[in-house]
């Protein structure tokens, strides 16, 4: 099988560890073992995977530390729905080809987000429900992310104003954390943004009028910030298909208040 480039065994009932020889297939570029019952430590720790670009291992039963070593050509890594521990490794930043990382629902992963949000190589990072802590560093403004999902963790601190410099960002989800402070007006600089979820935090103050600059925004969720007040500009809401801004806010142009803030 030295010429094998694509290996897809997803959505089966395979058990046990991934055979070691998989990592030594010299031409392999694409591996999808998602949705099985595979166990053991992550297979990236065994074999060079010298030409692999895409690795999908989601929804298995892998354990052990999050990988500390990455194949040199790796572009996409999806480890969601497993039981990795040990926190996100700073080595992600040194994997120059790695652009897409998803580790959602590794509920015991732990660690902080501070270092990984300084990685200039990433454009997609999704770590929902991973018991992450820490805060968003000001250096976030220098990275090229187009999607960031850190929902349902224990991330604290404020939403830094520098987030407005991540101009490629299309989706930002910080739901269900311990974020404090205000919604920065600089979010209005994210002209490509389609999804903004800041709900279930401890944000205060008013919703900035600069949100009316987000002409592509289709999902806005701010509910559950009990000290967030004021009104949401009508032109922010007119094109939004999914909206839950919370009943502590007002919308003078809404026909049905429950449509915007959700049923009490």
């Amino acid at each position: 099988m030295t010429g094998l480039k694509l290996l897809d065994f997803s959505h089966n009932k395979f058990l046990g560890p991934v055979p070691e020889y998989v990592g030594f297939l010299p031409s392999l570029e694409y591996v999808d073992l998602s949705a099985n019952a595979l166990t053991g430590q992550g297979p990236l720790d065994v074999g060079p995977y010298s030409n692999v670009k895409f690795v999908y291992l989601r929804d298995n039963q892998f354990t052990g530390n999050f990988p500390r070593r990455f194949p040199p050509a790796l572009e996409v890594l999806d480890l969601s729905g497993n039981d990795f521990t040990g926190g996100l490794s700073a080595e992600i930043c040194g994997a120059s080809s790695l652009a897409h990382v998803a580790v959602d629902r590794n509920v015991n992963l732990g660690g902080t987000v501070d270092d990984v949000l300084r990685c200039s190589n990433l454009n997609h990072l999704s770590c929902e429900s991973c018991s992450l802590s820490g805060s968003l560093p000001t250096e976030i403004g220098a990275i090229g992310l187009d999607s960031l999902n850190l929902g349902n963790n224990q991330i604290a601190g404020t939403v830094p104003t520098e987030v407005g410099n991540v101009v490629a960002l299309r989706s930002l989800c910080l739901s269900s954390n311990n974020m404090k402070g205000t919604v920065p007006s600089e979010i209005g600089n994210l002209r490509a943004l389609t999804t903004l979820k800041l709900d279930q935090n401890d944000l205060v103050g008013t919703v900035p009028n600069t949100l009316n600059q987000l002409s592509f925004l289709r999902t806005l969720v701010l509910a559950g910030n009990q000290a967030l007040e004021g009104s949401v500009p009508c032109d922010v809401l007119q094109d939004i298909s999914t909206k839950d801004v919370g009943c502590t806010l007002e919308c003078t142009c809404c026909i049905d208040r429950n449509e915007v803030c959700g049923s009490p």
Side-chain angles (χ1 to χ4, degrees), residues 65-83:
N65 283 334
F66 184 82
R68 286 341 191 225
R69 183 178 61 85
F70 302 95
L74 189 64
E75 298 177 12
V76 174
L77 178 64
D78 190 343
L79 304 178
S80 302
N82 285 284
D83 195 20

Side-chain angles (χ1 to χ4, degrees), residues 8 10 13 26 48 51 63 79 131 135 157 164 214 218 234 247 256 261:
D8 188 346
S10 61
K13 297 181 180 179
N51 290 302
T63 57
L79 304 178
S131 301
S135 60
L214 304 178
R218 296 296 177 267
C234 293
C247 288
D256 182 356
C261 62

Side-chain angles (χ1 to χ4, degrees), residues 16-54:
V18 177
E20 291 187 9
Y21 70 81
V22 173
F24 292 88
L25 296 172
S27 300
L28 193 63
E29 297 181 357
Y30 182 104
V31 179
D32 190 349
L33 305 177
S34 302
N36 283 284
L38 298 170
T39 57
Q41 294 192 342
L44 292 181
D45 293 329
V46 181
Y49 288 87
S50 54
N51 290 302
V52 168
K53 297 179 180 179
F54 306 94

Side-chain angles (χ1 to χ4, degrees), residues 2-129:
T2 57
L4 186 68
K5 290 188 175 183
L6 186 151
L7 180 65
D8 188 346
F9 288 165
S10 61
H11 296 89
N12 285 292
K13 297 181 180 179
F14 291 115
L15 305 170
V18 177
E20 291 187 9
Y21 70 81
V22 173
F24 292 88
L25 296 172
S27 300
L28 193 63
E29 297 181 357
Y30 182 104
V31 179
D32 190 349
L33 305 177
S34 302
N36 283 284
L38 298 170
T39 57
Q41 294 192 342
L44 292 181
D45 293 329
V46 181
Y49 288 87
S50 54
N51 290 302
V52 168
K53 297 179 180 179
F54 306 94
V55 174
Y56 300 93
L57 303 176
R58 65 184 300 128
D59 298 323
N60 280 286
Q61 298 170 24
F62 292 117
T63 57
N65 283 334
F66 184 82
R68 286 341 191 225
R69 183 178 61 85
F70 302 95
L74 189 64
E75 298 177 12
V76 174
L77 178 64
D78 190 343
L79 304 178
S80 302
N82 285 284
D83 195 20
F84 287 102
T85 56
L88 293 169
S89 59
E91 286 82 357
I92 290 177
C93 299
S96 58
S97 298
L98 186 57
H100 180 117
V101 174
V103 293
D104 305 314
R105 295 175 288 107
N106 282 270
V107 297
N108 296 309
L109 182 63
T112 68
V113 297
D114 305 55
D115 288 338
V116 73
L117 287 178
R118 295 180 173 92
C119 295
S120 59
N121 50 304
L122 294 180
N123 60 39
H124 176 101
L125 179 63
S126 190
C127 306
E128 184 171 334
S129 302

Side-chain angles (χ1 to χ4, degrees), residues 183 205-211 220 222 228-233 249:
V183 179
T206 59
V207 179
N209 287 331
T210 53
L211 293 191
L220 175 63
L222 301 174
L228 200 59
E229 58 187 11
S231 61
V232 182
L249 299 170

Side-chain angles (χ1 to χ4, degrees), residues 163 166 192 212 220 223 244-245:
V163 74
V166 192
N212 62 19
L220 175 63
D244 187 349
V245 299

